[in-house]
Amino acid sequence: MEAMSLLGVLGICSLRDVRCRTLRTGGILAFAVLGIWLHLYLGRLELLDMLGGMAVGLVLYACAAMSGEKIGKGDAMLVMVCGIFLGFWETILLLWVAFFFAGAFGFLVMKIRHVGGSYELPFVPFLLVGYVLCLFLWGGTIA
Protein backbone atom coordinates (compact mmCIF):
# COMPACT_ATOMS: atom_id res chain seq x y z
CA MET A 1 0.00 0.00 0.00
CA GLU A 2 2.83 2.37 0.85
CA ALA A 3 4.72 1.67 -2.38
CA MET A 4 1.61 2.21 -4.50
CA SER A 5 0.83 5.44 -2.66
CA LEU A 6 4.34 6.73 -3.20
CA LEU A 7 4.29 5.70 -6.87
CA GLY A 8 0.98 7.51 -7.30
CA VAL A 9 2.11 10.77 -5.75
CA LEU A 10 5.44 10.72 -7.60
CA GLY A 11 3.59 10.04 -10.87
CA ILE A 12 1.11 12.86 -10.34
CA CYS A 13 3.78 15.29 -9.20
CA SER A 14 6.02 14.27 -12.14
CA LEU A 15 3.32 15.22 -14.62
CA ARG A 16 2.75 18.54 -12.87
CA ASP A 17 6.49 19.24 -12.67
CA VAL A 18 6.99 18.55 -16.38
CA ARG A 19 3.95 20.57 -17.47
CA CYS A 20 4.01 23.53 -15.08
CA ARG A 21 7.46 23.40 -13.46
CA THR A 22 5.75 23.84 -10.08
CA LEU A 23 4.36 21.58 -7.39
CA ARG A 24 1.31 22.18 -5.22
CA THR A 25 2.35 22.14 -1.60
CA GLY A 26 -1.18 21.41 -0.36
CA GLY A 27 -1.26 18.03 -2.04
CA ILE A 28 2.25 17.23 -0.86
CA LEU A 29 1.33 18.09 2.73
CA ALA A 30 -1.83 15.97 2.52
CA PHE A 31 0.32 13.06 1.36
CA ALA A 32 2.66 13.67 4.30
CA VAL A 33 -0.29 13.32 6.67
CA LEU A 34 -1.27 10.09 4.90
CA GLY A 35 2.27 8.76 5.31
CA ILE A 36 2.36 9.56 9.01
CA TRP A 37 -1.05 7.95 9.49
CA LEU A 38 0.01 4.82 7.61
CA HIS A 39 3.11 4.44 9.76
CA LEU A 40 1.13 4.92 12.94
CA TYR A 41 -1.38 2.34 11.72
CA LEU A 42 1.02 -0.18 10.15
CA GLY A 43 4.08 0.53 12.28
CA ARG A 44 6.62 -0.32 9.56
CA LEU A 45 9.07 2.48 10.39
CA GLU A 46 10.22 3.69 13.75
CA LEU A 47 9.77 7.36 14.56
CA LEU A 48 13.51 8.02 14.51
CA ASP A 49 13.89 6.50 11.03
CA MET A 50 10.92 8.51 9.74
CA LEU A 51 12.40 11.72 11.22
CA GLY A 52 15.76 10.87 9.65
CA GLY A 53 14.10 10.52 6.25
CA MET A 54 12.38 13.85 6.73
CA ALA A 55 15.72 15.41 7.69
CA VAL A 56 17.10 14.53 4.24
CA GLY A 57 14.32 16.63 2.72
CA LEU A 58 14.94 19.42 5.23
CA VAL A 59 18.61 19.57 4.23
CA LEU A 60 17.54 19.73 0.58
CA TYR A 61 15.05 22.49 1.50
CA ALA A 62 17.86 24.47 3.15
CA CYS A 63 19.96 24.01 -0.01
CA ALA A 64 17.01 25.29 -2.06
CA ALA A 65 16.71 28.38 0.11
CA MET A 66 20.47 29.09 0.06
CA SER A 67 20.80 28.57 -3.70
CA GLY A 68 17.98 30.92 -4.66
CA GLU A 69 15.82 27.91 -5.55
CA LYS A 70 18.20 26.28 -8.01
CA ILE A 71 16.67 23.24 -6.38
CA GLY A 72 12.93 23.78 -6.03
CA LYS A 73 11.42 24.03 -2.58
CA GLY A 74 8.54 21.85 -3.80
CA ASP A 75 11.04 19.18 -4.82
CA ALA A 76 12.60 19.35 -1.37
CA MET A 77 9.19 19.05 0.28
CA LEU A 78 8.43 15.99 -1.84
CA VAL A 79 11.76 14.42 -0.81
CA MET A 80 10.78 15.15 2.79
CA VAL A 81 7.52 13.28 2.26
CA CYS A 82 9.39 10.41 0.60
CA GLY A 83 11.46 10.32 3.77
CA ILE A 84 8.30 9.76 5.79
CA PHE A 85 7.52 6.71 3.69
CA LEU A 86 11.04 5.36 3.20
CA GLY A 87 13.14 6.30 6.19
CA PHE A 88 16.64 7.73 6.22
CA TRP A 89 18.77 5.25 4.24
CA GLU A 90 16.20 4.48 1.55
CA THR A 91 15.62 8.22 1.04
CA ILE A 92 19.37 8.74 0.66
CA LEU A 93 19.45 5.90 -1.88
CA LEU A 94 16.48 7.32 -3.77
CA LEU A 95 18.01 10.79 -3.87
CA TRP A 96 21.36 9.41 -5.03
CA VAL A 97 19.76 7.47 -7.89
CA ALA A 98 17.60 10.46 -8.87
CA PHE A 99 20.61 12.81 -8.88
CA PHE A 100 22.55 10.32 -11.00
CA PHE A 101 19.81 10.11 -13.63
CA ALA A 102 19.18 13.88 -13.55
CA GLY A 103 22.89 14.52 -14.04
CA ALA A 104 23.19 12.06 -16.90
CA PHE A 105 20.07 13.44 -18.58
CA GLY A 106 21.24 17.02 -18.02
CA PHE A 107 24.58 16.19 -19.62
CA LEU A 108 22.82 14.72 -22.66
CA VAL A 109 20.52 17.74 -22.97
CA MET A 110 23.52 20.07 -22.80
CA LYS A 111 25.34 18.13 -25.53
CA ILE A 112 22.37 17.58 -27.84
CA ARG A 113 20.59 20.92 -27.46
CA HIS A 114 23.72 22.97 -26.80
CA VAL A 115 22.18 24.69 -23.79
CA GLY A 116 24.13 26.20 -20.93
CA GLY A 117 24.40 25.09 -17.33
CA SER A 118 21.52 27.33 -16.29
CA TYR A 119 18.97 25.18 -18.16
CA GLU A 120 16.30 23.97 -15.75
CA LEU A 121 15.10 20.37 -15.61
CA PRO A 122 12.09 19.10 -13.66
CA PHE A 123 13.45 16.91 -10.86
CA VAL A 124 10.43 14.88 -9.77
CA PRO A 125 10.42 12.60 -12.85
CA PHE A 126 13.93 11.50 -11.83
CA LEU A 127 12.64 10.73 -8.34
CA LEU A 128 9.95 8.59 -9.96
CA VAL A 129 12.43 6.77 -12.20
CA GLY A 130 14.76 6.27 -9.25
CA TYR A 131 11.98 4.89 -7.08
CA VAL A 132 10.78 2.47 -9.76
CA LEU A 133 14.35 1.31 -10.37
CA CYS A 134 14.90 0.77 -6.64
CA LEU A 135 11.67 -1.21 -6.42
CA PHE A 136 12.81 -3.51 -9.21
CA LEU A 137 16.40 -3.88 -8.02
CA TRP A 138 15.67 -4.46 -4.36
CA GLY A 139 12.46 -6.41 -4.77
CA GLY A 140 10.11 -4.15 -2.88
CA THR A 141 12.28 -3.60 0.21
CA ILE A 142 12.12 0.12 -0.48
CA ALA A 143 8.68 0.93 0.99
Short mmCIF file of all heavy atoms in Angstrom, two decimals, residues 55-124:
data_model
loop_
_atom_site.label_atom_id
_atom_site.label_comp_id
_atom_site.label_asym_id
_atom_site.label_seq_id
_atom_site.Cartn_x
_atom_site.Cartn_y
_atom_site.Cartn_z
N ALA A 55 14.56 14.53 7.57
CA ALA A 55 15.72 15.41 7.69
C ALA A 55 16.47 15.53 6.36
O ALA A 55 17.01 16.59 6.04
CB ALA A 55 16.66 14.90 8.78
N VAL A 56 16.47 14.47 5.57
CA VAL A 56 17.10 14.53 4.24
C VAL A 56 16.40 15.60 3.41
O VAL A 56 17.05 16.43 2.76
CB VAL A 56 17.04 13.16 3.54
CG1 VAL A 56 17.56 13.26 2.12
CG2 VAL A 56 17.81 12.11 4.32
N GLY A 57 15.07 15.61 3.44
CA GLY A 57 14.32 16.63 2.72
C GLY A 57 14.53 18.01 3.30
O GLY A 57 14.57 19.01 2.55
N LEU A 58 14.68 18.12 4.61
CA LEU A 58 14.94 19.42 5.23
C LEU A 58 16.29 19.99 4.80
O LEU A 58 16.42 21.19 4.56
CB LEU A 58 14.89 19.31 6.75
CG LEU A 58 13.50 19.23 7.37
CD1 LEU A 58 13.59 18.95 8.87
CD2 LEU A 58 12.73 20.52 7.12
N VAL A 59 17.30 19.12 4.71
CA VAL A 59 18.61 19.57 4.23
C VAL A 59 18.49 20.05 2.78
O VAL A 59 19.04 21.10 2.41
CB VAL A 59 19.67 18.45 4.36
CG1 VAL A 59 20.95 18.79 3.63
CG2 VAL A 59 19.94 18.18 5.83
N LEU A 60 17.76 19.33 1.97
CA LEU A 60 17.54 19.73 0.58
C LEU A 60 16.77 21.05 0.52
O LEU A 60 17.06 21.91 -0.31
CB LEU A 60 16.79 18.63 -0.18
CG LEU A 60 16.85 18.68 -1.68
CD1 LEU A 60 18.27 18.60 -2.20
CD2 LEU A 60 16.02 17.56 -2.28
N TYR A 61 15.81 21.23 1.43
CA TYR A 61 15.05 22.49 1.50
C TYR A 61 15.97 23.65 1.86
O TYR A 61 15.87 24.74 1.28
CB TYR A 61 13.92 22.36 2.52
CG TYR A 61 12.91 23.47 2.45
CD1 TYR A 61 11.82 23.37 1.59
CD2 TYR A 61 13.03 24.60 3.24
CE1 TYR A 61 10.88 24.38 1.50
CE2 TYR A 61 12.09 25.62 3.16
CZ TYR A 61 11.02 25.50 2.30
OH TYR A 61 10.10 26.51 2.21
N ALA A 62 16.90 23.43 2.79
CA ALA A 62 17.86 24.47 3.15
C ALA A 62 18.75 24.81 1.96
O ALA A 62 19.05 25.98 1.71
CB ALA A 62 18.71 24.03 4.35
N CYS A 63 19.16 23.78 1.21
CA CYS A 63 19.96 24.01 -0.01
C CYS A 63 19.16 24.82 -1.03
O CYS A 63 19.72 25.69 -1.71
CB CYS A 63 20.40 22.69 -0.62
SG CYS A 63 21.62 21.80 0.35
N ALA A 64 17.87 24.54 -1.13
CA ALA A 64 17.01 25.29 -2.06
C ALA A 64 16.94 26.75 -1.66
O ALA A 64 17.04 27.65 -2.50
CB ALA A 64 15.61 24.68 -2.09
N ALA A 65 16.80 27.00 -0.37
CA ALA A 65 16.71 28.38 0.11
C ALA A 65 18.03 29.12 -0.09
O ALA A 65 18.05 30.28 -0.50
CB ALA A 65 16.31 28.39 1.58
N MET A 66 19.15 28.45 0.17
CA MET A 66 20.47 29.09 0.06
C MET A 66 20.89 29.29 -1.40
O MET A 66 21.68 30.18 -1.68
CB MET A 66 21.53 28.28 0.79
CG MET A 66 21.37 28.34 2.30
SD MET A 66 22.72 27.56 3.20
CE MET A 66 22.61 25.87 2.67
N SER A 67 20.38 28.47 -2.30
CA SER A 67 20.80 28.57 -3.70
C SER A 67 19.88 29.45 -4.53
O SER A 67 20.04 29.53 -5.74
CB SER A 67 20.85 27.17 -4.33
OG SER A 67 19.53 26.65 -4.48
N GLY A 68 18.93 30.11 -3.89
CA GLY A 68 17.98 30.92 -4.66
C GLY A 68 17.04 30.05 -5.47
O GLY A 68 16.66 30.42 -6.57
N GLU A 69 16.71 28.91 -4.96
CA GLU A 69 15.82 27.91 -5.55
C GLU A 69 16.36 27.33 -6.84
O GLU A 69 15.61 27.08 -7.78
CB GLU A 69 14.41 28.46 -5.73
CG GLU A 69 13.61 28.43 -4.46
CD GLU A 69 12.12 28.37 -4.67
OE1 GLU A 69 11.63 27.38 -5.24
OE2 GLU A 69 11.45 29.33 -4.27
N LYS A 70 17.66 27.09 -6.90
CA LYS A 70 18.20 26.28 -8.01
C LYS A 70 17.65 24.87 -7.90
O LYS A 70 17.47 24.18 -8.89
CB LYS A 70 19.73 26.26 -8.00
CG LYS A 70 20.36 27.60 -8.21
CD LYS A 70 20.19 28.06 -9.63
CE LYS A 70 20.88 29.39 -9.81
NZ LYS A 70 20.66 29.94 -11.13
N ILE A 71 17.43 24.45 -6.67
CA ILE A 71 16.67 23.24 -6.38
C ILE A 71 15.33 23.76 -5.88
O ILE A 71 15.28 24.63 -5.01
CB ILE A 71 17.34 22.40 -5.26
CG1 ILE A 71 18.74 21.99 -5.68
CG2 ILE A 71 16.48 21.21 -4.89
CD1 ILE A 71 19.56 21.42 -4.55
N GLY A 72 14.23 23.26 -6.42
CA GLY A 72 12.93 23.78 -6.03
C GLY A 72 12.55 23.40 -4.61
O GLY A 72 12.84 22.29 -4.15
N LYS A 73 11.89 24.32 -3.93
CA LYS A 73 11.42 24.03 -2.58
C LYS A 73 10.34 22.95 -2.61
O LYS A 73 10.25 22.14 -1.69
CB LYS A 73 10.89 25.29 -1.92
CG LYS A 73 11.99 26.26 -1.55
CD LYS A 73 11.43 27.50 -0.87
CE LYS A 73 12.54 28.46 -0.52
NZ LYS A 73 12.01 29.70 0.07
N GLY A 74 9.54 22.90 -3.66
CA GLY A 74 8.54 21.85 -3.80
C GLY A 74 9.19 20.49 -3.95
O GLY A 74 8.71 19.50 -3.39
N ASP A 75 10.29 20.42 -4.69
CA ASP A 75 11.04 19.18 -4.82
C ASP A 75 11.56 18.72 -3.46
O ASP A 75 11.48 17.54 -3.12
CB ASP A 75 12.21 19.35 -5.79
CG ASP A 75 11.78 19.69 -7.20
OD1 ASP A 75 10.68 19.25 -7.60
OD2 ASP A 75 12.54 20.37 -7.91
N ALA A 76 12.08 19.68 -2.70
CA ALA A 76 12.60 19.35 -1.37
C ALA A 76 11.48 18.86 -0.45
O ALA A 76 11.68 17.92 0.32
CB ALA A 76 13.29 20.57 -0.78
N MET A 77 10.32 19.50 -0.55
CA MET A 77 9.19 19.05 0.28
C MET A 77 8.77 17.64 -0.11
O MET A 77 8.43 16.83 0.75
CB MET A 77 8.01 20.02 0.14
CG MET A 77 8.22 21.32 0.86
SD MET A 77 6.82 22.44 0.67
CE MET A 77 5.54 21.53 1.48
N LEU A 78 8.79 17.34 -1.39
CA LEU A 78 8.43 15.99 -1.84
C LEU A 78 9.45 14.96 -1.35
O LEU A 78 9.08 13.85 -0.96
CB LEU A 78 8.29 15.96 -3.36
CG LEU A 78 7.68 14.70 -3.94
CD1 LEU A 78 6.29 14.45 -3.38
CD2 LEU A 78 7.60 14.80 -5.45
N VAL A 79 10.73 15.31 -1.35
CA VAL A 79 11.76 14.42 -0.81
C VAL A 79 11.52 14.21 0.69
O VAL A 79 11.67 13.10 1.21
CB VAL A 79 13.18 14.96 -1.09
CG1 VAL A 79 14.23 14.19 -0.31
CG2 VAL A 79 13.48 14.92 -2.58
N MET A 80 11.10 15.26 1.37
CA MET A 80 10.78 15.15 2.79
C MET A 80 9.64 14.15 3.01
O MET A 80 9.69 13.31 3.91
CB MET A 80 10.38 16.52 3.34
CG MET A 80 10.42 16.63 4.83
SD MET A 80 9.95 18.29 5.44
CE MET A 80 10.76 19.40 4.33
N VAL A 81 8.64 14.21 2.16
CA VAL A 81 7.52 13.28 2.26
C VAL A 81 7.97 11.86 1.90
O VAL A 81 7.56 10.89 2.55
CB VAL A 81 6.34 13.75 1.37
CG1 VAL A 81 5.26 12.70 1.29
CG2 VAL A 81 5.79 15.06 1.89
N CYS A 82 8.83 11.73 0.91
CA CYS A 82 9.39 10.41 0.60
C CYS A 82 10.12 9.86 1.82
O CYS A 82 10.07 8.66 2.09
CB CYS A 82 10.36 10.50 -0.59
SG CYS A 82 9.56 10.76 -2.18
N GLY A 83 10.78 10.74 2.56
CA GLY A 83 11.46 10.32 3.77
C GLY A 83 10.52 9.76 4.82
O GLY A 83 10.89 8.86 5.57
N ILE A 84 9.30 10.29 4.87
CA ILE A 84 8.30 9.76 5.79
C ILE A 84 7.98 8.32 5.43
O ILE A 84 7.83 7.46 6.29
CB ILE A 84 7.02 10.62 5.78
CG1 ILE A 84 7.30 11.99 6.38
CG2 ILE A 84 5.88 9.93 6.51
CD1 ILE A 84 6.16 12.98 6.21
N PHE A 85 7.87 8.05 4.16
CA PHE A 85 7.52 6.71 3.69
C PHE A 85 8.69 5.75 3.69
O PHE A 85 8.52 4.55 3.91
CB PHE A 85 6.93 6.79 2.27
CG PHE A 85 5.50 7.18 2.25
CD1 PHE A 85 5.12 8.50 2.36
CD2 PHE A 85 4.50 6.22 2.13
CE1 PHE A 85 3.80 8.87 2.34
CE2 PHE A 85 3.17 6.57 2.12
CZ PHE A 85 2.81 7.89 2.23
N LEU A 86 9.90 6.25 3.43
CA LEU A 86 11.04 5.36 3.20
C LEU A 86 12.01 5.27 4.36
O LEU A 86 12.72 4.27 4.48
CB LEU A 86 11.80 5.82 1.94
CG LEU A 86 11.00 5.85 0.65
CD1 LEU A 86 11.84 6.43 -0.47
CD2 LEU A 86 10.49 4.48 0.30
N GLY A 87 12.12 6.28 5.15
CA GLY A 87 13.14 6.30 6.19
C GLY A 87 14.42 6.91 5.67
O GLY A 87 14.53 7.30 4.50
N PHE A 88 15.41 7.01 6.54
CA PHE A 88 16.64 7.73 6.22
C PHE A 88 17.43 7.10 5.07
O PHE A 88 17.69 7.74 4.06
CB PHE A 88 17.53 7.84 7.47
CG PHE A 88 18.83 8.54 7.21
CD1 PHE A 88 18.85 9.92 7.08
CD2 PHE A 88 20.01 7.84 7.08
CE1 PHE A 88 20.04 10.59 6.84
CE2 PHE A 88 21.21 8.50 6.84
CZ PHE A 88 21.22 9.87 6.72
N TRP A 89 17.86 5.85 5.21
CA TRP A 89 18.77 5.25 4.24
C TRP A 89 18.12 5.06 2.88
O TRP A 89 18.77 5.23 1.83
CB TRP A 89 19.35 3.94 4.76
CG TRP A 89 20.31 4.19 5.88
CD1 TRP A 89 20.13 3.87 7.19
CD2 TRP A 89 21.56 4.86 5.79
NE1 TRP A 89 21.21 4.30 7.93
CE2 TRP A 89 22.11 4.91 7.08
CE3 TRP A 89 22.29 5.42 4.74
CZ2 TRP A 89 23.34 5.49 7.36
CZ3 TRP A 89 23.51 6.01 5.02
CH2 TRP A 89 24.03 6.04 6.31
N GLU A 90 16.87 4.68 2.85
CA GLU A 90 16.20 4.48 1.55
C GLU A 90 15.96 5.82 0.86
O GLU A 90 15.97 5.90 -0.36
CB GLU A 90 14.91 3.71 1.75
CG GLU A 90 15.19 2.26 2.13
CD GLU A 90 13.92 1.45 2.37
OE1 GLU A 90 12.83 2.03 2.44
OE2 GLU A 90 14.03 0.22 2.47
N THR A 91 15.76 6.89 1.63
CA THR A 91 15.62 8.22 1.04
C THR A 91 16.95 8.69 0.47
O THR A 91 17.00 9.27 -0.62
CB THR A 91 15.09 9.23 2.07
OG1 THR A 91 13.85 8.75 2.59
CG2 THR A 91 14.87 10.60 1.44
N ILE A 92 18.04 8.41 1.18
CA ILE A 92 19.37 8.74 0.66
C ILE A 92 19.62 7.99 -0.64
O ILE A 92 20.10 8.56 -1.62
CB ILE A 92 20.47 8.39 1.70
CG1 ILE A 92 20.38 9.31 2.92
CG2 ILE A 92 21.86 8.41 1.10
CD1 ILE A 92 20.80 10.74 2.67
N LEU A 93 19.29 6.70 -0.67
CA LEU A 93 19.45 5.90 -1.88
C LEU A 93 18.62 6.46 -3.02
O LEU A 93 19.11 6.63 -4.14
CB LEU A 93 19.07 4.44 -1.61
CG LEU A 93 19.07 3.51 -2.82
CD1 LEU A 93 20.47 3.33 -3.37
CD2 LEU A 93 18.47 2.16 -2.44
N LEU A 94 17.36 6.76 -2.75
CA LEU A 94 16.48 7.32 -3.77
C LEU A 94 17.03 8.63 -4.32
O LEU A 94 17.07 8.84 -5.54
CB LEU A 94 15.07 7.54 -3.20
CG LEU A 94 14.10 8.29 -4.10
CD1 LEU A 94 13.81 7.50 -5.37
CD2 LEU A 94 12.81 8.59 -3.34
N LEU A 95 17.48 9.49 -3.44
CA LEU A 95 18.01 10.79 -3.87
C LEU A 95 19.29 10.61 -4.68
O LEU A 95 19.48 11.29 -5.70
CB LEU A 95 18.28 11.65 -2.63
CG LEU A 95 18.31 13.15 -2.82
CD1 LEU A 95 17.04 13.64 -3.49
CD2 LEU A 95 18.49 13.83 -1.49
N TRP A 96 20.14 9.67 -4.29
CA TRP A 96 21.36 9.41 -5.03
C TRP A 96 21.05 8.94 -6.45
O TRP A 96 21.64 9.42 -7.42
CB TRP A 96 22.21 8.38 -4.29
CG TRP A 96 23.54 8.16 -4.94
CD1 TRP A 96 24.66 8.89 -4.78
CD2 TRP A 96 23.85 7.15 -5.91
NE1 TRP A 96 25.67 8.39 -5.58
CE2 TRP A 96 25.20 7.32 -6.27
CE3 TRP A 96 23.13 6.11 -6.49
CZ2 TRP A 96 25.83 6.50 -7.20
CZ3 TRP A 96 23.77 5.30 -7.41
CH2 TRP A 96 25.10 5.50 -7.76
N VAL A 97 20.13 7.99 -6.57
CA VAL A 97 19.76 7.47 -7.89
C VAL A 97 19.13 8.57 -8.74
O VAL A 97 19.44 8.72 -9.92
CB VAL A 97 18.82 6.25 -7.75
CG1 VAL A 97 18.26 5.82 -9.09
CG2 VAL A 97 19.53 5.09 -7.09
N ALA A 98 18.26 9.38 -8.13
CA ALA A 98 17.60 10.46 -8.87
C ALA A 98 18.62 11.50 -9.33
O ALA A 98 18.55 11.97 -10.48
CB ALA A 98 16.53 11.12 -7.99
N PHE A 99 19.57 11.86 -8.47
CA PHE A 99 20.61 12.81 -8.88
C PHE A 99 21.47 12.23 -10.00
O PHE A 99 21.86 12.95 -10.92
CB PHE A 99 21.50 13.19 -7.70
CG PHE A 99 20.93 14.26 -6.82
CD1 PHE A 99 21.12 14.20 -5.45
CD2 PHE A 99 20.22 15.33 -7.33
CE1 PHE A 99 20.61 15.17 -4.61
CE2 PHE A 99 19.70 16.32 -6.51
CZ PHE A 99 19.90 16.25 -5.15
N PHE A 100 21.76 10.95 -9.94
CA PHE A 100 22.55 10.32 -11.00
C PHE A 100 21.83 10.43 -12.34
O PHE A 100 22.43 10.85 -13.33
CB PHE A 100 22.82 8.85 -10.65
CG PHE A 100 23.51 8.11 -11.76
CD1 PHE A 100 24.88 8.24 -11.93
CD2 PHE A 100 22.79 7.32 -12.64
CE1 PHE A 100 25.52 7.57 -12.97
CE2 PHE A 100 23.43 6.65 -13.68
CZ PHE A 100 24.79 6.78 -13.85
N PHE A 101 20.56 10.06 -12.37
CA PHE A 101 19.81 10.11 -13.63
C PHE A 101 19.60 11.55 -14.10
O PHE A 101 19.67 11.83 -15.30
CB PHE A 101 18.48 9.38 -13.52
CG PHE A 101 18.61 7.90 -13.65
CD1 PHE A 101 18.44 7.08 -12.55
CD2 PHE A 101 18.93 7.32 -14.86
CE1 PHE A 101 18.58 5.70 -12.66
CE2 PHE A 101 19.07 5.95 -14.98
CZ PHE A 101 18.91 5.13 -13.88
N ALA A 102 19.35 12.46 -13.18
CA ALA A 102 19.18 13.88 -13.55
C ALA A 102 20.48 14.42 -14.13
O ALA A 102 20.46 15.16 -15.13
CB ALA A 102 18.73 14.70 -12.35
N GLY A 103 21.61 14.06 -13.52
CA GLY A 103 22.89 14.52 -14.04
C GLY A 103 23.20 13.97 -15.42
O GLY A 103 23.66 14.69 -16.30
N ALA A 104 22.94 12.68 -15.59
CA ALA A 104 23.19 12.06 -16.90
C ALA A 104 22.28 12.67 -17.97
O ALA A 104 22.73 12.98 -19.08
CB ALA A 104 22.96 10.54 -16.82
N PHE A 105 21.01 12.85 -17.63
CA PHE A 105 20.07 13.44 -18.58
C PHE A 105 20.45 14.89 -18.87
O PHE A 105 20.41 15.33 -20.03
CB PHE A 105 18.64 13.36 -18.04
CG PHE A 105 17.60 13.81 -19.02
CD1 PHE A 105 17.19 12.98 -20.05
CD2 PHE A 105 17.04 15.07 -18.92
CE1 PHE A 105 16.24 13.40 -20.96
CE2 PHE A 105 16.09 15.50 -19.82
CZ PHE A 105 15.68 14.66 -20.85
N GLY A 106 20.82 15.63 -17.83
CA GLY A 106 21.24 17.02 -18.02
C GLY A 106 22.45 17.12 -18.93
O GLY A 106 22.53 18.01 -19.78
N PHE A 107 23.40 16.21 -18.76
CA PHE A 107 24.58 16.19 -19.62
C PHE A 107 24.18 15.95 -21.07
O PHE A 107 24.66 16.64 -21.98
CB PHE A 107 25.55 15.10 -19.15
CG PHE A 107 26.77 14.98 -20.00
CD1 PHE A 107 27.79 15.90 -19.89
CD2 PHE A 107 26.89 13.94 -20.92
CE1 PHE A 107 28.93 15.78 -20.68
CE2 PHE A 107 28.00 13.83 -21.72
CZ PHE A 107 29.04 14.75 -21.60
N LEU A 108 23.28 14.99 -21.30
CA LEU A 108 22.82 14.72 -22.66
C LEU A 108 22.11 15.92 -23.27
O LEU A 108 22.32 16.25 -24.43
CB LEU A 108 21.91 13.49 -22.68
CG LEU A 108 22.58 12.15 -22.45
CD1 LEU A 108 21.54 11.04 -22.35
CD2 LEU A 108 23.57 11.85 -23.56
N VAL A 109 21.25 16.56 -22.48
CA VAL A 109 20.52 17.74 -22.97
C VAL A 109 21.51 18.85 -23.34
O VAL A 109 21.36 19.51 -24.37
CB VAL A 109 19.50 18.23 -21.92
CG1 VAL A 109 18.97 19.61 -22.26
CG2 VAL A 109 18.35 17.24 -21.80
N MET A 110 22.53 19.03 -22.50
CA MET A 110 23.52 20.07 -22.80
C MET A 110 24.28 19.77 -24.09
O MET A 110 24.56 20.68 -24.88
CB MET A 110 24.51 20.21 -21.64
CG MET A 110 23.91 20.88 -20.43
SD MET A 110 25.02 20.93 -19.01
CE MET A 110 26.39 21.85 -19.65
N LYS A 111 24.59 18.49 -24.33
CA LYS A 111 25.34 18.13 -25.53
C LYS A 111 24.47 18.15 -26.78
O LYS A 111 24.92 18.58 -27.84
CB LYS A 111 25.98 16.73 -25.37
CG LYS A 111 27.08 16.70 -24.36
CD LYS A 111 28.21 17.61 -24.79
CE LYS A 111 29.34 17.60 -23.81
NZ LYS A 111 30.36 18.58 -24.11
N ILE A 112 23.24 17.68 -26.67
CA ILE A 112 22.37 17.58 -27.84
C ILE A 112 21.77 18.94 -28.21
O ILE A 112 21.76 19.34 -29.37
CB ILE A 112 21.27 16.53 -27.61
CG1 ILE A 112 21.90 15.15 -27.52
CG2 ILE A 112 20.21 16.58 -28.70
CD1 ILE A 112 20.96 14.05 -27.06
N ARG A 113 21.26 19.64 -27.21
CA ARG A 113 20.59 20.92 -27.46
C ARG A 113 21.52 22.12 -27.39
O ARG A 113 21.11 23.23 -27.67
CB ARG A 113 19.45 21.13 -26.47
CG ARG A 113 18.26 20.28 -26.72
CD ARG A 113 17.13 20.79 -25.90
NE ARG A 113 15.87 20.17 -26.29
CZ ARG A 113 14.75 20.37 -25.66
NH1 ARG A 113 14.71 21.17 -24.61
NH2 ARG A 113 13.65 19.78 -26.05
N HIS A 114 22.73 21.90 -26.94
CA HIS A 114 23.72 22.97 -26.80
C HIS A 114 23.21 24.09 -25.89
O HIS A 114 23.33 25.27 -26.23
CB HIS A 114 24.14 23.53 -28.17
CG HIS A 114 24.64 22.48 -29.09
ND1 HIS A 114 25.86 21.85 -28.91
CD2 HIS A 114 24.09 21.90 -30.19
CE1 HIS A 114 26.04 20.96 -29.86
NE2 HIS A 114 24.98 20.95 -30.65
N VAL A 115 22.65 23.70 -24.76
CA VAL A 115 22.18 24.69 -23.79
C VAL A 115 23.24 24.84 -22.70
O VAL A 115 24.08 23.96 -22.50
CB VAL A 115 20.82 24.30 -23.16
CG1 VAL A 115 19.74 24.28 -24.21
CG2 VAL A 115 20.91 22.97 -22.45
N GLY A 116 23.17 25.94 -21.99
CA GLY A 116 24.13 26.20 -20.93
C GLY A 116 23.76 25.50 -19.63
O GLY A 116 22.75 24.82 -19.51
N GLY A 117 24.59 25.72 -18.63
CA GLY A 117 24.40 25.09 -17.33
C GLY A 117 23.23 25.65 -16.55
O GLY A 117 22.84 25.09 -15.54
N SER A 118 22.65 26.75 -17.02
CA SER A 118 21.52 27.33 -16.29
C SER A 118 20.17 26.76 -16.76
O SER A 118 19.13 27.18 -16.28
CB SER A 118 21.52 28.85 -16.45
OG SER A 118 21.35 29.19 -17.82
N TYR A 119 20.19 25.81 -17.67
CA TYR A 119 18.97 25.18 -18.16
C TYR A 119 18.31 24.41 -17.03
O TYR A 119 18.96 23.66 -16.31
CB TYR A 119 19.29 24.24 -19.34
CG TYR A 119 18.09 23.63 -19.98
CD1 TYR A 119 17.29 24.35 -20.85
CD2 TYR A 119 17.74 22.30 -19.72
CE1 TYR A 119 16.19 23.77 -21.45
CE2 TYR A 119 16.64 21.72 -20.30
CZ TYR A 119 15.87 22.46 -21.17
OH TYR A 119 14.77 21.89 -21.76
N GLU A 120 17.01 24.60 -16.85
CA GLU A 120 16.30 23.97 -15.75
C GLU A 120 15.61 22.68 -16.20
O GLU A 120 14.96 22.66 -17.24
CB GLU A 120 15.25 24.92 -15.18
CG GLU A 120 15.84 26.12 -14.49
CD GLU A 120 14.78 27.02 -13.89
OE1 GLU A 120 13.60 26.60 -13.79
OE2 GLU A 120 15.12 28.15 -13.52
N LEU A 121 15.77 21.65 -15.38
CA LEU A 121 15.10 20.37 -15.61
C LEU A 121 14.13 20.11 -14.47
O LEU A 121 14.42 20.43 -13.33
CB LEU A 121 16.12 19.22 -15.61
CG LEU A 121 17.09 19.12 -16.77
CD1 LEU A 121 18.10 18.01 -16.50
CD2 LEU A 121 16.34 18.83 -18.05
N PRO A 122 12.97 19.53 -14.77
CA PRO A 122 12.09 19.10 -13.66
C PRO A 122 12.75 17.91 -12.95
O PRO A 122 13.27 17.01 -13.60
CB PRO A 122 10.80 18.70 -14.38
CG PRO A 122 11.20 18.39 -15.77
CD PRO A 122 12.40 19.24 -16.07
N PHE A 123 12.74 17.93 -11.62
CA PHE A 123 13.45 16.91 -10.86
C PHE A 123 12.58 15.72 -10.46
O PHE A 123 13.06 14.60 -10.35
CB PHE A 123 14.08 17.53 -9.61
CG PHE A 123 14.90 16.57 -8.81
CD1 PHE A 123 16.05 16.01 -9.34
CD2 PHE A 123 14.53 16.22 -7.53
CE1 PHE A 123 16.81 15.12 -8.62
CE2 PHE A 123 15.29 15.33 -6.79
CZ PHE A 123 16.43 14.78 -7.33
N VAL A 124 11.30 15.94 -10.28
CA VAL A 124 10.43 14.88 -9.77
C VAL A 124 10.38 13.66 -10.70
O VAL A 124 10.36 12.53 -10.20
CB VAL A 124 9.01 15.42 -9.47
CG1 VAL A 124 8.12 14.32 -8.92
CG2 VAL A 124 9.08 16.57 -8.49
#
